[in-house]
Amino acid sequence: MDLIPSFTIDHTRLMPGIYISRQDEVNGGIITTYDIRMTAPNQEPALGQGAIHTIEHLVATYLRNDEEWKDQIIYWGPMGCLTGNYLIMKGDRKPSEIRQLIIDAFQSVVDWQGEVPGTTPETCGNYLLHDLPMAKWEAKRYVKRLKEDFHGEYPVKN
């Protein structure tokens, strides 16, 4: 069986950043899947389940309410390895073109006050698995990383 393209990326050299994971043509348009990598895989601890779950709720809410971008957002959700998230958008944009959107979305997590949206038994499949303080900490660290040392090209295995 052939390896899928994401398994050809050298995860031992992958740094936090924004990467294009794949692009697909759908009904004559381009759909882009972005790897929103928050930690260095296999070098740093994975994100805590409660933190990434809270980030999922807050960033999804932000993206789907942002007046400029909401019509381009298809999906936002965590990676199984808990080192980041996937963002699927309409269009063909370079990671640098969505960098400010991602910074703003994660800054909204840092600045969040009050109840996290969608955290009741009626609105979430695991409503007790949330950690707003750690979500804020992880979001603040990621914003700093995106501002200081931006990575947007995958390291490929040799």
Side-chain angles (χ1 to χ4, degrees):
M1 192 175 292
D2 293 335
L3 283 179
I4 62 173
S6 64
F7 295 157
T8 67
I9 304 307
D10 186 348
H11 285 66
T12 65
R13 296 180 18 222
L14 188 56
M15 300 304 294
I18 301 169
Y19 305 93
I20 292 176
S21 178
R22 63 180 290 158
Q23 292 187 305
D24 299 283
E25 185 178 334
V26 179
N27 295 328
I30 298 293
I31 302 295
T32 303
T33 302
Y34 297 94
D35 172 336
I36 309 298
R37 189 68 60 160
M38 295 177 63
T39 68
N42 306 307
Q43 298 173 49
E44 298 175 332
L47 300 161
Q49 292 177 358
I52 198 165
H53 191 197
T54 301
I55 289 168
E56 174 196 8
H57 280 234
L58 291 173
V59 173
T61 300
Y62 179 89
L63 293 172
R64 292 184 179 124
N65 282 281
D66 183 271
E67 285 301 319
E68 181 181 351
W69 294 96
K70 67 182 180 181
D71 293 334
Q72 305 305 309
I73 305 301
I74 295 172
Y75 172 79
W76 170 266
M79 295 175 177
C81 63
L82 303 178
T83 62
N85 301 271
Y86 289 114
L87 171 62
I88 303 175
M89 295 179 69
K90 297 175 189 174
D92 177 11
R93 293 176 193 85
K94 294 181 173 90
S96 60
E97 294 177 87
I98 66 161
R99 179 181 182 195
Q100 192 59 51
L101 170 66
I102 300 304
I103 289 171
D104 293 345
F106 276 84
Q107 188 62 49
S108 78
V109 175
V110 174
D111 297 338
W112 187 262
Q113 299 295 318
E115 185 98 7
V116 175
T119 56
T120 66
E122 297 81 15
T123 59
C124 180
N126 197 355
Y127 78 102
L128 295 176
L129 183 66
H130 283 277
D131 187 343
L132 182 58
M134 276 309 296
K136 287 175 170 263
W137 187 89
E138 293 287 6
K140 183 176 182 179
R141 182 171 79 144
Y142 188 55
V143 166
K144 183 176 188 237
R145 288 174 153 183
L146 288 181
K147 287 181 175 180
E148 290 179 356
D149 190 21
F150 182 68
H151 295 275
E153 295 292 328
Y154 275 133
V156 179
K157 290 183 178 179
N158 296 329

